[in-house]
Structure formats: C-alpha cells, structure tokens
Amino acid sequence: MKFLHTAFQNMKAPFEKGGKFEKYNKVLTAIDALETFAFTPEEVTHTGAHIRDGIDLKRTMSVVIMAMIPCLLFGMYNAGYQHYRELGELATASFMDMFTIGLIKVLPLVVVSYGVGLGIEFAFAMFKGHSVEEGYLVTGMLIPLIVPIDIPLWMLAVAVAFAVVFGKEVFGGTGMNILNVALTARAFLFFAYPTFMSGDKIWIHEGMTNDAISGATILGDLAAMKGGLETLRFSAQDMFLGFIPGSVGETSTLAVLIGAAILLFTGIGSWRIMLAAVLGGATMGAIFNFFGDMGIGGGLMQLPFWQHLIVGGFAFGVVFMATDPVTAAQTNKGKWIYGFLIGLLAIMIRVFNPAYPEGIMLAILFMNVMAPLVDHYVVQGNINKRLKRLNVKTA
Amino acid sequence: MSKDIKIKKGLNIPLKGEADKVLGTAERSGAFVIKPSDFKNFTPKLLVKEGQEVLAGSPLFYSKDYPEVKVGSPVSGEVVEVMRGAKRKILGIKVLGDKETRYAQFPAADAARMSRAEVKQRLLDQCLWAFIKRRPYGTAARPTDNPISIHVSGFDSAPLSADYDYVLHGKGKEFQAGLEVLKQLTDGPVHLNLHREMNTDEVFKGAKGVQINWFSGPHPSGNVGVQIHHIKPLNKGEVVFTVAAQDVALIGNAFLTGKYDASRTVAVAGSSVKSPKYFKTIQGASISTLVEGNLEGDNNRLISGNILTGTKVAADGHLGFFNKEVTVIPEGDHAKFFITEGWAGPGFGKFSASRSYFSWLMPSKKYDLDTNTNGEARALVVTGEYESVFPMDIYPQHLVKAIMIGDIELMENLGIYEVDDEDFALCEYICTSKTAVQQIVREGLELIEKECG
C-alpha cells in the first residue's frame, strides 16, 4: 500500500508551506482526514505509557455502525413488506421485490445524511483548522434509521444541517455536544414538518399518496383509540420481529438486540444505561398496567409492560441513542439513574401524550440535558465523602 | 493489623519479552549519569565541577528548595561533564567511573538504637534521603515532613517489570535494616504491601516490625498510590513516605556497611530483546552495556523503567535514578493501512481492553506491541474507560478535566492529593482519545504544589 501512501504525500505537497497552493492550506485538513482514514498515522508515543491500546475513535465508531447494520437491512426489507401488506399484495411479492423498495428508498437517505453531514464537518474542520473527528460516522447512520421511509430528501438534508451545526458544531464539535445529534435532527423534523413526521399516513411507503394504504403505527392506533387492546392489528411476535410500520430502522427489536449484543460484547455500549433503561421502562409500564387493569385509561395503559419494550422506537433508542457517551451521564452511578429515568419517561410520555406517542426521543433529549446535573450530584457525593474524612480528622 | 485487599479494577497487559530469572553478565559501564529530571519538581544546584574527583556516595547536587536533600554519585571517579540543555538547564552529571569503586565511608550504624534526628541526619549526610518519595505530589520527601505512615510495595504489577522476589532474594538482612531505618522516621506504621497470588520471597515474608498487607488483583495493585488509598486514604495536609523495595535494601546496606552501594539488579525485557534476563549493574549506568548485541532490529524504543511510566532514552542513554528495568520495544513509526493493520483490520495482533478486535479470541496470547499510538488524539468522547482501570474511589476523568481547566479547588475536592501520575498510566494506555493523561496529571500536581505547598 506504499503507492497509496505516496499518493497522499504527493497530494498534500502543493498545499504545504512553500508549495504552489500554499494559501489554500486549509485543504490539508480534508486531505489529512482522508489519509488518516486510509492509514493509521505514524504517530508514536513520547512519554509515559509507551504503548497504547489498539482501539481508537474510528474503530469505536465503526463497531457501532456494524451494530446498526442488522437494523438497516431489516428496515429495508420491512419497508417493502409493509408496503405490499397494506396493498394486500403480500402473497405475490417476492423477497427481492420487498427488499428493493427499501433499498431504493433507504439508500438515498443514507447517502444524503452522510453527504450533508460530513460535508459540514469537513467545512467546519477546515474553517477552524482542527482535524475531522469521527463523531458523525455514527450519527450519519442513525439519522436515516429514525425517519419515516418517504421523507423528502431535501427535508432530511435541512435537518442534518441543522443538527450538525446547532446540535454539535456550535458547542465545539465532536465530544462537546449536549444533545444527541441524531435526535436533534429528528426533533427538528418533528417540530418543523409535523405533517411529515407524525400522523398515521407516513410510516408506510406511499402511505401519503396512495389511499389504499392506511399505515398507522401500533402506538398511533392505541393512542388514538380510547378502547382496549382488541383492535390491535399486530401480534407481539410481529412487534418483536419488526413486521410493523414505523421508522426505517427501529421496528425490529430482534435486529436491535443483535446490535445490542455487539455493543455489549465489545464493551463499547454501556450495559448500565441499557439495563437501567429497560428496568425503567418496565417499571413505568407495570405501573400503568396496574391502573389499566382497573379500567383506567385507554389501550396504551393496558398494553402489557413487556410489550412496551418491544414496540416502537424504545429498544432502538435505548441501545443506540441513550448510550451515546458524549450526551449520557458519565459516571457509573449516574448512568444507572440516567438510564432508568429515560425508560421511565419514555413510557410516561408515550402513554400521556396522544399527539406524539413515541416518547423515547423526547425522554432521551430531556435526560441529555439533565445528565450533567445527575453527574454533578454523583461527583458531589464523592467530594462530600472526602470532605467528611477531612472533618473527622480535624475535629 | 494486616489487611487483605482485593483490587478488582485494572488491567494486566500481556506482553512478550518478560525477563527470565537468569543473571546475565554485562560489561561495566564507563560513564554514569545522574539526571535531576528523575526527581519530580526538583530544582538542582550543583555541588561538583567538571574535572572534580568524587567517591561513591559523595553529593553531586542538592535541591534548591531543601538544601539538605543531596543526591549522591553512584560510583567513584571523575566528573567529566555537566550536561546542559536549553537555558542551561542541568540534564545530567556524568561521572567517569573508576575500575574499583571507592566509597565515601561512614561508620556502621544500627537505626534501632538511634533517635529520629540521628537517623534523619545520617540519611541526609549519606545522600540516602533522595530515595524517599512523598505523597502528595510524588516528589522527593522533605526533611521537615512528619509522615503519618511509610509504604513499601513488595511487588511490581506493571507489565514486564522486575520481579522483586528474584532481585531481593538473599538480601533479607539489608532489607530488614532498611525497614528499621524507615520505622524511625514515623510515629505511624511502616506498611509492607505484598501480593497474595504472586510468589513472595522470604525476604518479604520474614520482615519484622512492619505491618504486612496482602493485595490481590491486576495492575495497578502494585502501585503504592493504590495501596495507600486502600489502606488509609490520604487527606489534605497529610504526608506519607514511599520507598521502593530495592531502595529499602540499599538504605539498609548503607547503614550496615557505611557504604553507598548503588549497584542493582535490573530486568532487561521487552519484545525487541533477544534474550530478556536480569543484569547486575549500577545506578546511572549506560544502557548500551545492558542491551548491546541483545536486540532484534535497529528501530527500537529504549525505555529506562517500565513500559507504562518509564522514560524514553537514546541508544547512548543511561539508567534512571529510580529505575529497576530497561524495556525495549519496536518503534511504531510507520503508517498502517486501515484494512490490514489499521483501525478497520481484524486486529489479531492488537491488544485491546475492549473486545473490538478479534484478538479477544486468543485470551492467552502475548503481544508484541509497538509505540504507535494506534490513532490520533481526539476530544474525550468515550466515558467509563478510565474508571474501569482505576481502582481508587476517585473519578479519574473528572479529575483530569479539572486539571485541564486549572480549577485548583475542584482538583483538591476530587482527590488530587492521593494520586501520582503513574496511577494514571493505565488510563493513558486505554484512552480511546489518546490523551496524554500522565502528563496532564503531572502538570496538575505541579500546579497544586506551587499554589498550595
């Protein structure tokens, strides 16, 4: 691979000091980003720990992307599956027919998300003279997975631009943001273009344009109808496997679990947050079940608590969004509190807010904002312990 | 009362090239260099001139802040050079050693029968005080300090480090005499900290008059900072002394014989060493005498000290004042293509505390790691990794951030008095963002020492 390495050196030469295009030296940042993508640099340690762990941010991010691949692939298949099911043509459509619809619709979403997002990242890096950091690699994959299948590409591009600029770069870039960037994009879409992001028509391909398709999600159904569970059109098995309408990548709890397994096994996702969020969700679900069984509230109150965990974006949010280390609580104790409250709030919002039954997004965003507070009290506890020790000594 | 302490957090990095317990013969070094930089936050003032004759144990320089604290020459001979760097900073004092070492002779002394003042004076006069470090700050102990306890770690858990049991075997008398000296310096206990699962030599097991504490678990259980924290954490205003086990024996020997004998057994280890083993040499000796003809390849990193905290030295460099091992590993100064060796590769040869490379399939494999950082410096993104290898009740990442912003009160609150930069070596190793954690902590400690004494 020496020739490629030389090619990069040659490419950089004219922009370096004394080169022909010296005044455009900001381009170096971009070339450097590509070069460090292709080659781990020859940088060596100088002092202290003379050896370093094999992992770096690129590896970390790529493992997370790998973990999302099952969701992406299933999302593509499910897009076609839901489309043909609503049309009543499920029996005649082949696997490839279904997958192709998803592929044609989802691939452009991924391309636009990465194109716009990375474009802005590169621009900021060049403008501010720092290296391009890898944060967007994961965000760029998350965003297409949490939008409706038919979202216009320009809308996605606007949302990505908003999220990257106002969700991340204004705070100082990767590692400095307060809110989860992908969820910022999603929240922006939800509040800026509500007709495209909620309602019962958008979750299935051509739902908006084809009258033959109804397309409400389970949560939409349950939230809209004051009745009980009798009207539920999907079985728990469908919910778990993911054969239900919803955002591109979030329907299949099974696919999410495969991703979770990868994240947990590699040690990259926080098991504390995941477990705590599931416990939080189950607790809130159980509380609602208690009232639901007494006949209080509608279908969402009666939905068995464990089904809350496998329906909608709950699992996806818990595994891929809540565990974002930058925006989550940073202390181990804090992670328990943070995760538990996300689970609790997600189900609470889901049940109490009929306009927007998918509560996980707002729950995570809210807890993103609260995470530093949670950490503050956890760290303060440690500080107090130390001060107490000192007081005992001086007393 | 002895304590039994389990260290759960930490990491043993499996590296190739551990020193065999065989004593090799090394050519005697011609010149010996003592570097003031081996002492942290220490301003040296010279006591010798070029051309001056010195004896082993004669003082070479002293501390500007505590003039009684003098650092002695390891051998007798002529001071041939005062090595200086930018702004005339003293980098080292080079002594051309005699063939037969002549010692600055002191009368033999029995510390147990001496008063504290006498013991202190003897340590200072014989240049032995420099071997005693203090916490907080990890700097040279001050003669005015009144330590609440003294800690001696009887094992080193760092990768490829010297085995104390092998090195000190048969030196029970000297070690015990050294402990007697230390006992005179404090009203509190002298702690000897040993590892439950490692072999423990009679020298340690038979130590008398000290509190023996048993540790178990991975590195950094051998770090004296971790041991202090678990036995009795340090508070603001308290001082603890620490002395390395071999140096305890050196001090003991100096009291028994009256001689400052700086000879020591060092482990020469690392994946670039053809036959890693132990060598008997002298403090400040030329490293080339220890590794000559015993290295593979010609692009190597020579480290005086262990692989996590040691100092990089040039091929003609010298053994550090406190160092008990020399580690040699390959330099990693070449670009690695991303799908073969780089970040996207399978990584069978890459050790990682995470399981993101396939090297997890081979749990008993030993690795030949080079000095490449395996990635570039990034913002602190990943959380929880410092905590997983930092076995103290301290929030390491928060402390590091407090140091980065220079918030002294926050540093104090988060426990900076309890740590030394070596305690953060594993954090630095494991950091995904490739942050120079030890350097940051050292800067924090220096700031605190300057501001709060």
Side-chain angles (χ1 to χ4, degrees), chain B residues 179-250:
Chain B
L179 291 177
E180 295 298 334
V181 173
L182 298 183
K183 271 161 65 181
Q184 293 290 353
L185 296 179
T186 176
D187 297 325
V190 172
H191 294 273
L192 175 61
N193 306 322
L194 304 172
H195 199 274
R196 181 65 78 191
E197 290 130 33
M198 291 183 188
N199 287 330
T200 305
D201 197 86
E202 280 307 316
V203 170
F204 296 115
K205 274 197 261 184
K208 288 179 219 65
V210 292
Q211 178 176 327
I212 293 182
N213 305 296
W214 292 96
F215 283 77
S216 54
H219 184 63
S221 57
N223 276 11
V224 72
V226 172
Q227 296 167 352
I228 296 168
H229 180 89
H230 284 274
I231 292 164
K232 188 174 180 297
L234 206 58
N235 294 307
K236 185 182 178 178
E238 292 174 343
V239 175
V240 164
F241 283 176
T242 70
V243 189
Q246 287 96 320
D247 298 339
V248 173
L250 186 151

Side-chain angles (χ1 to χ4, degrees), chain A residues 61-373:
Chain A
M61 295 294 173
S62 53
V63 169
V64 183
I65 293 174
M66 294 291 259
M68 282 189 280
I69 297 290
C71 291
L72 180 78
L73 293 179
F74 184 82
M76 288 178 180
Y77 171 70
N78 189 45
Y81 179 87
Q82 293 303 327
H83 174 74
Y84 285 115
R85 194 184 53 81
E86 281 299 319
L87 288 175
E89 296 168 6
L90 209 51
T92 55
S94 71
F95 174 83
M96 276 321 285
D97 288 339
M98 298 189 222
F99 192 76
T100 313
I101 285 192
L103 192 68
I104 292 170
K105 293 303 292 179
V106 175
L107 218 50
L109 298 180
V110 176
V111 172
V112 167
S113 164
Y114 273 116
V116 175
L118 285 178
I120 295 172
E121 292 260 306
F122 270 72
F124 264 90
M126 282 157 73
F127 180 66
K128 289 164 71 184
H130 62 70
S131 48
V132 180
E133 303 214 354
E134 291 80 8
Y136 194 75
L137 294 180
V138 166
T139 312
M141 181 61 95
L142 277 170
I143 291 175
L145 295 181
I146 54 169
V147 293
I149 183 90
D150 277 346
I151 182 170
L153 293 177
W154 66 266
M155 220 179 255
L156 183 72
V158 172
V160 166
F162 175 85
V164 174
V165 176
F166 291 99
K168 183 156 91 173
E169 291 299 339
V170 293
F171 292 104
T174 299
M176 313 288 177
N177 47 312
I178 292 171
L179 298 175
N180 184 306
V181 185
L183 280 178
T184 308
R186 171 75 198 256
F188 174 83
L189 285 170
F190 177 68
F191 291 111
Y193 310 105
T195 48
F196 274 94
M197 291 302 292
S198 57
D200 57 2
K201 286 287 201 180
I202 59 158
W203 303 106
I204 293 177
H205 174 48
E206 291 185 349
M208 301 277 284
T209 51
N210 191 332
D211 281 345
I213 291 177
S214 71
T217 61
I218 296 171
L219 294 174
D221 271 349
L222 288 173
M225 284 173 277
K226 293 284 176 215
L229 295 174
E230 319 79 61
T231 50
L232 210 54
R233 298 185 295 145
F234 299 92
S235 68
Q237 191 186 333
D238 285 340
M239 295 180 205
F240 179 73
L241 296 177
F243 295 104
I244 54 173
S247 297
V248 174
E250 66 177 27
T251 59
S252 171
T253 309
L254 179 65
V256 171
L257 283 179
I258 297 172
I262 294 174
L263 290 182
L264 292 179
F265 181 77
T266 53
I268 283 171
S270 164
W271 62 271
R272 291 184 178 86
I273 293 178
M274 290 189 207
L275 180 62
V278 168
L279 288 176
T283 308
M284 198 73 234
I287 293 172
F288 283 132
N289 281 174
F290 178 73
F291 290 108
D293 292 346
M294 295 197 301
I296 302 169
L300 274 171
M301 282 256 204
Q302 290 166 14
L303 189 69
F305 72 90
W306 57 273
Q307 288 190 18
H308 268 299
L309 306 179
I310 56 173
V311 72
F314 185 85
F316 189 87
V318 165
V319 170
F320 294 113
M321 307 280 200
T323 53
D324 168 15
V326 176
T327 55
Q330 305 197 340
T331 55
N332 285 343
K333 254 186 225 164
K335 281 175 180 164
W336 281 107
I337 300 168
Y338 169 85
F340 190 80
L341 288 178
I342 283 181
L344 207 73
L345 288 171
I347 304 302
M348 193 190 285
I349 296 170
R350 182 180 273 186
V351 172
F352 283 148
N353 183 1
Y356 187 65
E358 189 41 282
I360 189 78
M361 171 186 96
L362 292 175
I364 293 173
L365 283 174
F366 179 73
M367 285 312 295
N368 281 171
V369 177
M370 291 297 143
L373 190 69

Side-chain angles (χ1 to χ4, degrees), chain B residues 134-173:
Chain B
R134 82 195 289 266
R135 291 285 176 114
Y137 315 129
T139 52
R142 301 167 186 172
T144 48
D145 281 335
N146 192 14
I148 56 165
S149 60
I150 297 178
H151 285 255
V152 177
S153 178
F155 65 102
D156 191 344
S157 53
L160 304 180
S161 56
D163 183 334
Y164 289 5
D165 300 323
Y166 176 73
V167 170
L168 284 180
H169 182 72
K171 290 198 174 170
K173 212 170 103 200

